[in-house]
Amino acid sequence: MAEVTRKIALLDLDAFFASVEVLRDPSLRHKPFAVGGGGDRGVVATANYLARRYGVSSAMPGSQARRLCPQLIFVKPDHARYRDVSRQVLQLLTEVTDIIEPASIDEFYLDLTENTLFKGSASLTMQALRQKISQLGITGSAGISNQKMVAKIASDERKPDGQFLVTPEQIYEYISQLDLKRIPGVGPKSQKLLAQHGLIKGLDIQAVTVSRLQEIIGEKAGYLLHQRCQGIDKREVVTERVRKSVGVEQTLSADMTHLVTAQDYCQQQLLPKLKKRLQITHWREQPIRSQTVKLKFSDFTQTTVSKATQRVSPSAFYQLLEQAWTRGNNKGVRLVGVSVALPDPEQQQQLELDLD
């Protein structure tokens, strides 16, 4: 019996937070604006396409965004409203398939293999879905293929408000032409390391052995990157997500310059919030795999330090904080975060390469 060809789509809502803000205030439509903080310590969550023409991008410090675009307007985020619109989109998607994986508030994987609309055409189905979504006042772009990775990459090809199909026969050639930075999980550090060995594009990865890749970036990452660039991605669309980690972090109103202040802040502010998010009364109630401290310094560089353990230890958080603090070389700290990695009951394959 012949194997059924999968039909996987990734719907990515275009500049989602910004699009929702235009619904609230239509006067923003023809002005460059960003959602987030525009003050000295603010960060851009997203920017509309007018602002992006000036180089404004997500995760950029608000002060830098203002320098790039002096007339930039900053809008305070309304996360409750974003969640509400995201739920409306999800409701529309369920009219087509019940195999949906929300990858984030504005990204959704759909398995359309068994879809019968438009004689089973995934392209026509996504076109119709995007038309319905536009009636909410926002737009979405889609990538379509037989696998999650290529569908995700392809969703960027026709942004905004477009879609792109990569058939199974086209996948190998499509990947060969991609810069490695477009492969999910290949971050700046890995790009630099791979480039040092002449590996810049997908075709470069396709031409080397898996063992060579493993020598460069490690056993697991090398294997996964080799598989992905060969066009192999068998991950299913997962309808129920298991939480992998729980954490809290806070951008501070002023830089911290003393370790003891940060440790006190961790004890009094962050750990109680972490316990609340874990929905526990005592730390011993929650098994974990590791605990992590994250610091972002005054120059926006950041570091994380982790420790493998089976139960949360507050004192271990303080020790990890001290280790992370020394990496700052006396720089001020603008953000502190703590998190725990939860046990994975099914030991599922990592969704992204996570090379960095």
Side-chain angles (χ1 to χ4, degrees):
M1 184 175 178
E3 185 177 345
V4 176
T5 300
R6 297 195 303 170
K7 299 176 183 178
I8 308 295
L10 187 279
L11 174 72
D12 185 356
L13 303 178
D14 301 319
F16 179 54
F17 292 178
S19 297
V20 175
E21 291 301 334
V22 170
L23 293 178
R24 182 184 60 81
D25 181 1
S27 71
L28 292 170
R29 185 177 302 277
H30 302 296
K31 302 173 183 176
F33 76 93
V35 177
D40 292 339
R41 313 190 66 76
V43 175
V44 173
T46 192
N48 71 344
Y49 287 99
L50 284 174
R52 294 181 189 190
R53 293 177 188 172
Y54 292 85
V56 178
S57 61
S58 59
M60 176 179 287
S63 55
Q64 182 183 352
R66 283 196 188 279
R67 286 194 296 272
L68 291 171
C69 181
Q71 68 271 41
L72 190 67
I73 298 169
F74 277 88
V75 179
K76 185 178 179 181
D78 183 351
H79 293 288
R81 175 63 176 152
Y82 307 149
R83 287 192 295 269
D84 180 57
V85 176
S86 179
R87 282 192 290 266
Q88 292 178 49
V89 171
L90 182 59
Q91 185 60 44
L92 291 175
L93 303 185
T94 58
E95 296 175 8
V96 171
T97 178
D98 57 358
I99 310 177
I100 303 168
E101 178 183 333
S104 65
I105 194 172
D106 59 354
E107 284 189 325
F108 305 86
Y109 286 104
L110 295 85
D111 188 330
L112 300 174
T113 307
E114 303 297 330
N115 168 55
T116 57
L117 295 174
F118 303 100
K119 297 182 179 180
S121 169
S123 294
L124 292 177
T125 298
M126 290 309 298
Q127 195 171 312
L129 268 176
R130 293 192 306 102
Q131 178 60 36
K132 280 191 173 184
I133 290 167
S134 70
Q135 294 171 12
L136 298 176
I138 61 176
T139 63
S141 299
I144 306 161
S145 191
N146 69 343
Q147 58 171 270
K148 292 172 78 171
M149 185 193 81
V150 172
K152 179 176 177 63
I153 297 170
S155 68
D156 284 331
E157 296 284 358
R158 296 289 184 265
K159 271 189 165 294
D161 196 20
Q163 62 184 57
F164 190 77
L165 168 69
V166 183
T167 66
E169 298 77 22
Q170 297 168 334
I171 285 176
Y172 190 84
E173 176 65 21
Y174 177 71
I175 294 174
S176 75
Q177 301 305 312
L178 294 174
D179 290 333
L180 291 182
K181 66 182 179 181
R182 294 193 62 193
I183 304 293
V186 183
K189 292 180 183 177
S190 296
Q191 291 167 39
K192 184 176 180 180
L193 185 58
L194 290 163
Q196 289 171 357
H197 294 81
L199 306 175
I200 309 294
K201 288 182 171 289
L203 60 87
D204 300 322
I205 303 297
Q206 291 170 346
V208 299
T209 63
V210 64
S211 58
R212 177 63 180 137
L213 268 183
Q214 289 174 322
E215 289 174 7
I216 297 171
I217 57 175
E219 185 175 353
K220 183 176 182 181
Y223 173 78
L224 282 175
L225 182 57
H226 187 268
Q227 288 272 296
R228 300 292 194 263
C229 288
Q230 294 295 323
I232 302 169
D233 181 6
K234 297 182 179 180
R235 291 174 298 154
E236 302 289 336
V237 176
V238 182
T239 55
E240 292 185 12
R241 276 191 171 276
V242 177
R243 287 195 306 176
K244 291 187 174 183
S245 64
V246 177
V248 292
E249 60 181 46
Q250 184 64 51
T251 298
L252 308 168
S253 57
D255 286 353
M256 284 185 180
T257 55
H258 297 288
L259 172 61
V260 66
T261 307
Q263 289 174 327
D264 287 344
Y265 185 81
C266 181
Q267 179 184 19
Q268 297 171 18
Q269 299 292 329
L270 297 182
L271 292 189
K273 289 180 181 178
L274 179 62
K275 188 178 287 186
K276 185 175 181 180
R277 289 198 178 179
L278 287 168
Q279 299 179 334
I280 59 174
T281 305
H282 303 288
W283 292 119
R284 63 178 178 271
E285 297 172 24
Q286 176 63 61
I288 64 171
R289 290 188 294 115
S290 63
Q291 53 190 93
T292 299
V293 165
K294 171 183 173 182
L295 294 182
K296 184 179 288 186
F297 300 105
S298 55
D299 61 357
F300 286 88
T301 59
Q302 64 183 44
T303 189
T304 58
V305 184
S306 301
K307 178 183 180 181
T309 182
Q310 295 182 334
R311 289 289 187 276
V312 174
S313 164
S315 61
F317 271 127
Y318 309 143
Q319 294 166 8
L320 292 172
L321 181 56
E322 185 173 0
Q323 291 177 43
W325 191 274
T326 59
R327 296 180 181 179
N329 294 320
N330 297 317
K331 289 183 287 192
V333 169
R334 59 176 283 118
L335 176 146
V336 182
V338 294
S339 63
V340 295
L342 302 178
D344 186 348
E346 297 181 10
Q347 291 297 307
Q348 293 175 332
Q349 185 183 32
Q350 198 168 341
L351 290 184
E352 304 295 358
L353 303 185
D354 194 22
L355 303 182
D356 288 338

